[in-house]
Amino acid sequence: MMHFDSIDAYKGKIKKILITEEEIQSAVKKTAEIIDSLYDGTPILLVSILKGAFIYMADVCKNVTVPCEVAFMTAQSYFNDTVSSGKVEITMDIKQNLADYHVVILEDIVDTGRTLSEVVKILKGRNPKSFRVITLLDKPARRVVDFKADVSLFTIPDYFVIGYGLDCGEHFRNLPYVAEYNTEA
Ligand code: 5GP
């Protein structure tokens, strides 16, 4: 958790807007169009890993026209600097039997790729009818495992970003845009 002594201290953490609200909303429409055209009327299951992707999930699912269910999970990862893969525990699982579904993961950001690649392994092991990963943001410069989303909407540099679901100390998730976090202020 984080504590701010003043609104100026809070605002001082928002360094620069990288992706505006308008740009995000057009990426949301584009995401839904891609899903509609890929699945062409076939029912799907949209899955997000909480909390970062909750706003993207909410916005995209409102714009999708194929029949869809939504499901959320939480995952805890235990990585350190020397071990780049291995331990991810699903702390809240989805209830659906994936063998019955075409699954689309909606992710907020792929950074090192470690968490998502492990979660993908686990979910694919449940034999879904098909499986795709769509990410709003991608930071390829930070990747430590070989992981590529099927669709990525924005490629961003190696900045720590906040907003549109992404937090720092649980703050800033509610910003309607994506901004660079100010580590100095
Ligand atoms: P990965 O396993 O790919 O390194 O970690 C992905 C998770 O780390 C994301 O789902 C997100 O929660 C968090 N993360 C990675 N990069 C950023 C960032 O720039 N800003 C924020 N707020 N979270 C990030």
Side-chain angles (χ1 to χ4, degrees), residues 75-125:
Q76 183 75 52
S77 41
Y78 306 93
F79 298 119
N80 59 44
D81 290 344
T82 49
V83 182
S84 64
S85 70
K87 198 108 180 71
V88 165
E89 187 191 340
I90 294 180
T91 42
M92 183 184 82
D93 208 342
I94 54 180
K95 306 225 173 357
Q96 285 85 350
N97 176 3
L98 292 196
D100 297 332
Y101 290 94
H102 293 276
V103 174
V104 182
I105 300 269
L106 285 181
E107 180 63 318
D108 49 350
I109 186 165
V110 183
D111 186 40
T112 66
R114 295 189 290 203
T115 311
L116 198 54
S117 67
E118 295 295 320
V119 169
V120 164
K121 263 186 235 163
I122 294 168
L123 296 185
K124 277 187 174 170

Side-chain angles (χ1 to χ4, degrees), residues 7 11 19-21 25 27 31 40 43 55 58 81-82 106-107 109 113 117 130 139 158-159 168 174-175 182-183:
I7 187 72
K11 286 184 178 163
I19 308 172
T20 65
E21 184 172 4
Q25 289 309 319
T31 307
D40 193 25
I55 300 183
D81 290 344
T82 49
L106 285 181
E107 180 63 318
I109 186 165
S117 67
S130 70
K139 275 201 271 186
D158 181 11
Y159 297 144
C168 187
N174 57 315
L175 299 177
N182 188 352
T183 47

Side-chain angles (χ1 to χ4, degrees), residues 24-67:
I24 290 178
Q25 289 309 319
S26 71
V28 163
K29 298 257 157 59
K30 191 174 160 195
T31 307
E33 283 164 19
I34 290 170
I35 292 172
D36 282 346
S37 70
L38 282 172
Y39 295 93
D40 193 25
T42 307
I44 57 167
L45 175 65
L46 294 174
V47 178
S48 280
I49 305 165
L50 293 173
K51 299 178 189 171
F54 80 108
I55 300 183
Y56 187 44
M57 168 68 114
D59 279 355
V60 168
C61 78
K62 283 187 289 185
N63 285 275
V64 157
T65 64
V66 294

